[in-house]
Amino acid sequence: MTDRRPGMEPAPRSVSVRIPPAVHALATAVLFALAAVRFGLSWQLPAFLVLAAAGVLLAVVDLEHRLLPNRILLPAAVAGALLLGLAAAAGGAWPTLLRAVLAAVVLFLVFLVLALLAPAGLGMGDVKLAGLLGLYLGWLGWGALVVGVVAGFAVQAVVAVVLLAARRVGRRGELPFGPAMLGGAALAVGWGEQWATAYLGATGRG
């Protein structure tokens, strides 16, 4: 079954866009500013600046080439672990660092299972990105981790609906998931713990 309609070309199976360098630079600058406001002059700020820079680059590459390369993911993970380790040492936040590492492992394994069950929907790049994001979101708290994952799937769903409505992709089309994961993580870094606390309070679980 195709998406062809009378007088219309079939919708493409996948979406690829070209990101102008100016947009890339602007997005990085905006995220740097937001990270500075969020964390102030703290030991954890450099780690989240690394995440912002790597995240924008990963989103651009995934949108343009449907790829999340190891040469970006692995250095970002190592730098993030080292910088968060430095922040933990400076503030005596070893339990926080342990939670971050545990969250990275858990999210990596969860996405690995999902990728094995539905290889057409998730690739190993998405799995490794989940581990990277789990490290940072776990540093902020379990609530931020849950919000980041849920927000990532929600962003992907909204984008898919919009593109379907605009006929930019077919019903069986493929969308890169990395940008949505990064967008969800950005929301969680900014407001994840607050949203999680508000939800638990509203449901009487707080």
Side-chain angles (χ1 to χ4, degrees):
M1 181 176 181
T2 67
D3 293 298
R4 185 182 297 274
R5 296 176 186 176
M8 298 182 67
E9 291 297 321
R13 284 187 57 82
S14 63
V15 171
S16 179
V17 297
R18 186 72 180 172
I19 308 297
V23 174
H24 182 172
L26 178 61
T28 303
V30 169
L31 288 178
F32 273 24
L34 293 175
V37 172
R38 171 70 171 83
F39 298 105
L41 296 177
S42 64
W43 284 100
Q44 57 191 332
L45 175 61
F48 282 89
L49 292 180
V50 167
L51 177 62
V56 173
L57 183 56
L58 286 166
V60 169
V61 173
D62 204 16
L63 284 170
E64 292 185 344
H65 304 291
R66 300 295 308 279
L67 180 68
L68 293 168
N70 287 333
R71 65 179 181 271
I72 302 174
L73 285 167
L74 298 183
V78 172
L82 291 175
L83 290 171
L84 290 177
L86 181 61
W94 298 114
T96 302
L97 181 63
L98 178 60
R99 182 182 64 209
V101 173
L102 179 59
V105 172
V106 168
L107 204 57
F108 176 88
L109 292 176
V110 168
F111 271 71
L112 177 60
V113 171
L114 293 176
L116 293 175
L117 293 175
L122 289 175
M124 283 306 300
D126 300 315
V127 174
K128 285 175 276 191
L129 177 59
L132 173 65
L133 296 179
L135 178 71
Y136 282 91
L137 297 179
W139 174 270
L140 298 177
W142 293 112
L145 181 73
V146 173
V147 169
V149 173
V150 173
F153 281 100
V155 169
Q156 185 78 342
V158 170
V159 170
V161 169
V162 171
L163 292 178
L164 278 170
R167 291 196 52 77
R168 293 295 305 277
V169 68
R171 286 189 295 273
R172 297 182 181 179
E174 300 172 354
L175 299 176
F177 192 31
M181 293 173 65
L182 290 160
L187 292 173
V189 169
W191 302 280
E193 281 298 300
Q194 295 93 320
W195 290 350
T197 300
Y199 172 78
L200 292 175
T203 57
R205 301 175 186 176

